Amino acid sequence: MLKLKNVTGGYVNIPVLKGVSFEVHAGELVGLIGLNGAGKSTTINEIIGLLRPYEGEIELDGLTLSMDVEGYRRKIGFIPESPILYEELTLREHIEVVGMAYDIDKEVLFQRAEPLLSIFRLSDKLDWFPVNFSKGMKQKVMIICALIIEPSLLIVDEPFLGLDPLAIHDLIALLDEAKKRGVAILMSTHVLDSAEKMCDRFVILHQGQVRLDGDLSQMRQAFGDSQASLTDIYMALTKEEEMG
């Protein structure tokens, strides 16, 4: 389980997040929703440890970064918005580097990777370099590298960018399987129609604060419209904040 408790943080002493608190439970997919600049990327960077909060605490399965940096980080799988690959390493070597970083036996590593490579049609491309990959293929490599570590927490940032419809379908199925295994999933996305269908719960960020936290029925109740879509609720909240 992931817990953020009154997290205030940002860049060079400029607070982007202001007292952010929410949880992601095991076997739950939570959508992190907000406009550009709302604090989604900062929240993710605080969770994965690229930033440290000025105030508050982030806890994952009872661990914090200050307690055990290596143990904490090994619990997280991260699929970034833009693929980050080493141009001089083949796909096979990328997988091996992940194994070394997370101390996973090579045989176990490729047993985990094999079905994922098959799903994303990359089994015959293990000796390819990133220069040979399309953007979608690079994104698939990132997905594979995040899933083979079998994380407690999977963070997915704008997961559908660059993926073809078949790959999107495959990724949604993989996220559903991960949930069934008890993985906590935090997904940041602007695609609200997809988020409404996929997510168990939503955290709406606006101007660095949690504006709403709940499932769709709870948000509809707070909004006062039992038929409202996630897009309706989000647009109304942001307009209300801007007018206020």
Side-chain angles (χ1 to χ4, degrees), residues 220-221 224-228:
R220 283 170 170 167
Q221 186 174 2
D225 183 348
S226 62
Q227 301 299 316

Side-chain angles (χ1 to χ4, degrees), residues 120-134:
F120 288 121
R121 296 158 295 283
L122 293 175
S123 299
D124 60 346
K125 297 174 176 62
L126 280 167
D127 296 317
W128 284 29
F129 290 92
V131 69
N132 303 121
F133 291 158
S134 66

Side-chain angles (χ1 to χ4, degrees), residues 77-135:
F78 178 43
I79 305 172
E81 177 179 352
S82 299
I84 305 168
L85 299 178
Y86 298 99
E87 293 300 322
E88 69 277 13
L89 298 183
T90 63
L91 170 52
R92 186 191 310 277
E93 289 167 335
H94 275 90
I95 293 171
E96 290 172 348
V97 165
V98 170
M100 288 187 285
Y102 285 84
D103 195 23
I104 302 170
D105 178 79
K106 190 172 179 179
E107 185 176 343
V108 172
L109 185 72
F110 279 92
Q111 284 175 352
R112 296 177 184 178
E114 189 175 319
L116 296 169
L117 291 164
S118 178
I119 287 169
F120 288 121
R121 296 158 295 283
L122 293 175
S123 299
D124 60 346
K125 297 174 176 62
L126 280 167
D127 296 317
W128 284 29
F129 290 92
V131 69
N132 303 121
F133 291 158
S134 66
K135 182 177 180 182

Side-chain angles (χ1 to χ4, degrees), residues 29-33 156-161 163-165 167-173 175-176 179 185 187-202 216 229-232 234:
L29 198 167
V30 173
L32 186 62
I33 311 298
V156 191
D157 190 6
E158 295 295 347
F160 308 121
L161 293 180
L163 294 181
D164 57 66
I168 290 172
H169 177 272
D170 292 334
L171 175 57
I172 291 172
L175 293 179
D176 190 52
K179 279 176 50 180
I185 304 173
M187 181 177 75
S188 171
T189 182
H190 288 107
V191 187
L192 300 189
D193 290 344
S194 295
E196 182 173 329
K197 296 172 185 174
M198 293 175 61
C199 298
D200 302 300
R201 193 159 50 81
F202 308 91
L216 190 58
S229 68
L230 179 60
T231 301
D232 294 335
Y234 180 69

